[in-house]
């Protein structure tokens, strides 16, 4: 057995293993959940490093969380009234023909909808002062003295016993640990918008399917409506409309949305969607876009590193297509499993390697399943291509 935690002695009960020093990379959703669970479990040498000066609303918008993830948040003391603005469980699936809605089918979602902003705010306000280090972008990782060492673009270096990479779809951790798994553009775009419109009758999530090559989702969020409009586009079209190739600009922020991109989305909405939804799109001032990406399924989540370890989780492990509605769910469930494994090690002297590999064995199949599910849903909707544009 290797005990890789060689940090400060534990101050807790006799028999517990010394406190490891844990660095969490990424301050969006998965990272703060890991950090808060670690603190709750009694790990007190935790730091979160976030690349941006202030965590930015990159992924934005509506996020459906299933019961397992909701329960993790509940156990952190984050009540749903704080991050669920509309407590509907209903998804209306609506075929659309010639811009007219056909008979709709009601589905019951085993969870609730939140938004990135509500959830991130609820998590961030619970992080103790001094835990989050913004403007710290990881670029390198090694273990020259046996202890993992992180290197940041600002010149800072931090040593630790465990590195938890929760740094999202363009993860530096994945590039360093699992470099052969590169993002491939899937051939379509999730155009997104927040319309400052009142829709008093709308409580539920609407999923409109106008036919091959298009899907439109809309739901109420605080202050208006959140919509996502999926449309096919070649890599060249993405580049023309958003200023850089999809594999480089993995989030197109409002400043990247060109007038041509805006006009294209308005035109397609006018051609494909019922008038009220086309009007919502048209009235939306601030827009974003997310190129849908694929990646080879992960084969591991844990890497030994000197006397320590590094792990990947959340979108850093496997950014899955948005239709699966599994990205944030996977990250939160993996975070809870990781902290359970580390707790068994620290509190009851479970073998650390075995605990981490047990965690991997439990969570890898779900991540792999979600990676496979995305292209299957895309194919059913006529979205995307099988060829891909790759990057490193
Ligand atoms: C349209 C759309 C709809 C979605 N719907 C759902 C849904 O219904 N249900 C669901 O579960 N998921 C959904 N998702 C996916 C969900 O948004 C993501 O899975 C989730 O945001 C991932 O969280 P994360 O914290 O792992 O990564 P991210 O949110 O990507 O955060 C990564 C963080 O790491 C930081 N970072 C990046 N690189 C570095 C570095 N080198 N050093 C330090 N910090 C770094 C970033 O700045 C960022 O703050 C959807 C996504 C989209 C686009």
């Amino acid at each position: 057995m290797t005990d890789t935690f060689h940090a400060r002695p534990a101050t807790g009960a006799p028999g517990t293993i010394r406190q490891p020093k844990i660095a969490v990379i990424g301050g969006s959703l998965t990272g703060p959940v890991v950090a808060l669970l670690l603190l709750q479990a009694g790990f007190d040498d935790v730091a979160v490093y976030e690349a941006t000066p202030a965590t930015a609303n990159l992924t934005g918008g509506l996020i459906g969380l299933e019961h397992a993830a909701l329960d993790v948040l509940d156990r952190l003391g984050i009540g749903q009234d704080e991050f669920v603005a509309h407590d509907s469980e209903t998804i209306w699936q609506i075929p659309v023909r010639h811009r007219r809605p056909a008979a709709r089918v009601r589905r019951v979602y085993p969870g609730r909808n939140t938004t990135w902003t509500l959830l991130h705010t609820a998590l961030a306000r619970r992080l103790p002062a001094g835990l989050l280090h913004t403007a710290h972008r990881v670029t390198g990782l090694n273990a020259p003295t046996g202890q993992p060492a992180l290197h940041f673009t600002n010149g800072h270096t931090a040593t630790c016993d465990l590195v938890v990479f929760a740094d999202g779809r363009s993860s530096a951790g994945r590039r360093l640990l699992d470099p052969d798994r590169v993002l491939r553009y899937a051939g379509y775009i999730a155009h997104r918008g927040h319309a400052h419109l009142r829709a008093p009758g709308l409580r539920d999530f609407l999923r409109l399917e106008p036919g091959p090559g298009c899907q439109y989702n809309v739901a109420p969020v605080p202050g208006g409506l959140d919509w996502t409009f999926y449309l096919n586009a070649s890599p060249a079209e993405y580049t023309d409309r958003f200023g850089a190739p999809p594999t480089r600009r993995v989030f197109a922020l409002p400043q990247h949305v060109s007038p041509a991109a805006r006009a294209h989305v308005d035109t397609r909405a006018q051609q494909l969607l019922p008038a009220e939804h086309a009007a919502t799109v048209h009235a939306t001032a601030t827009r974003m876009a997310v190129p849908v990406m694929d990646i080879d399924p992960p084969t591991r989540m844990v890497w030994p590193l000197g006397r320590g370890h590094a792990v990947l989780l959340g979108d850093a492990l496997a950014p899955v297509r948005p239709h699966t509605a599994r990205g944030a769910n996977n990250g939160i469930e993996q975070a809870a499993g990781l902290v359970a494994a580390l707790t068994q090690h620290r509190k009851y002297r479970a073998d650390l390697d075995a605990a981490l590999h047990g965690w991997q064995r439990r969570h890898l199949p779900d991540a792999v399943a979600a990676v496979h599910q995305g292209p299957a849903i895309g194919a059913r909707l006529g979205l995307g291509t099988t060829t891909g544009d790759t990057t490193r």
Side-chain angles (χ1 to χ4, degrees):
M1 161 183 161
T2 25
D3 172 5
T4 55
F5 286 169
H6 290 281
R8 296 181 287 119
T11 51
T16 56
I17 286 178
R18 48 200 162 280
Q19 283 280 7
K21 191 170 180 182
I22 302 177
V24 178
I25 315 304
S28 169
L29 300 180
T30 308
V33 171
V34 178
L36 291 171
L37 288 168
L38 285 168
L39 296 178
Q40 190 181 55
F43 293 86
D44 64 9
D45 197 354
V46 179
V48 178
Y49 297 99
E50 163 57 41
T52 55
T55 45
N57 185 1
L58 283 182
T59 44
L62 203 73
I63 292 180
L65 292 182
E66 296 177 27
H67 295 142
L70 291 170
D71 189 56
V72 172
L73 298 169
D74 215 36
R75 283 186 274 131
L76 281 173
I78 308 177
Q80 281 186 26
D81 54 348
E82 200 177 330
F83 65 95
V84 175
H86 300 272
D87 65 357
S88 167
E89 296 177 304
T90 295
I91 296 173
W92 290 106
Q93 190 151 348
I94 309 171
V96 173
R97 297 293 171 260
H98 306 295
R99 301 190 67 202
R100 288 183 200 285
R104 59 189 195 170
V105 177
R106 178 172 183 252
R107 304 197 184 281
V108 181
Y109 179 62
R112 289 286 200 274
N113 290 313
T114 180
T115 67
W116 184 93
T117 308
L118 287 173
L119 185 55
H120 173 75
T121 303
L123 294 165
R125 65 198 285 258
R126 287 172 169 81
L127 293 176
L131 191 96
L132 175 66
H133 305 268
T134 54
H136 275 67
R137 179 178 292 280
V138 172
T139 50
L141 175 68
N142 57 9
T145 63
Q147 201 180 18
L150 286 158
H151 305 279
F152 300 88
T153 47
N154 61 11
H156 185 77
T157 297
T159 55
C160 57
D161 301 293
L162 175 67
V163 188
V164 178
F165 280 106
D167 54 343
R169 61 191 342 215
S170 301
S171 169
R174 186 182 344 109
R175 179 172 46 76
L176 293 164
L177 297 167
D178 205 0
D180 290 338
R181 292 179 55 238
V182 294
L183 293 175
R184 297 186 298 272
Y185 177 52
Y188 62 108
I189 301 169
H191 300 276
R192 314 200 58 249
H194 176 97
H196 296 282
L197 293 174
R198 280 170 48 77
L202 182 61
R203 290 189 71 249
D204 305 326
F205 183 101
L206 307 185
R207 181 182 292 153
L208 279 73
E209 298 187 347
C214 171
Q215 188 187 52
Y216 177 80
N217 298 329
V218 62
V221 292
L225 295 173
D226 179 275
W227 55 264
T228 305
F229 193 19
Y230 294 96
L231 292 169
N232 285 322
S234 68
E237 286 168 331
Y238 182 91
T239 307
D240 282 350
R241 291 173 192 151
F242 300 103
T247 46
R248 185 135 57 82
R249 180 153 289 159
V250 296
F251 295 104
L253 300 174
Q255 66 269 28
H256 303 133
V257 178
S258 67
R262 210 187 150 80
H264 172 73
V265 170
D266 285 346
T267 302
R268 295 303 281 154
Q270 195 65 35
Q271 291 167 340
L272 295 164
L273 301 180
E276 63 179 296
H277 296 293
T280 299
V281 171
H282 203 82
T284 305
T286 306
R287 307 197 188 174
M288 294 170 52
V290 182
V292 178
M293 309 300 277
D294 285 324
I295 194 163
D296 286 348
T299 55
R300 60 193 291 193
M301 300 166 79
V302 180
W303 283 259
L305 188 67
R307 293 193 301 272
H309 290 88
V311 301
L312 294 180
L313 76 175
D315 274 18
L317 175 74
V320 297
R321 293 200 193 184
H323 315 282
T324 64
R326 282 300 309 170
N329 281 288
N330 281 345
I332 294 171
E333 292 173 22
Q334 292 156 4
L338 177 66
V339 176
L342 295 173
T343 302
Q344 291 298 311
H345 167 65
R346 194 176 68 85
K347 207 166 163 188
Y348 299 107
R349 297 181 171 273
D351 181 274
L352 180 60
D353 285 319
L356 289 175
H357 283 92
W359 167 68
Q360 173 178 286
R361 195 174 60 243
R362 274 188 304 283
H363 291 277
L364 200 52
D366 282 353
V368 171
V371 168
H372 287 306
Q373 192 191 11
I377 298 173
R380 182 177 66 74
L381 296 168
L383 285 166
T385 54
T386 48
T387 56
D389 176 21
T390 61
T391 190
R392 275 177 192 270

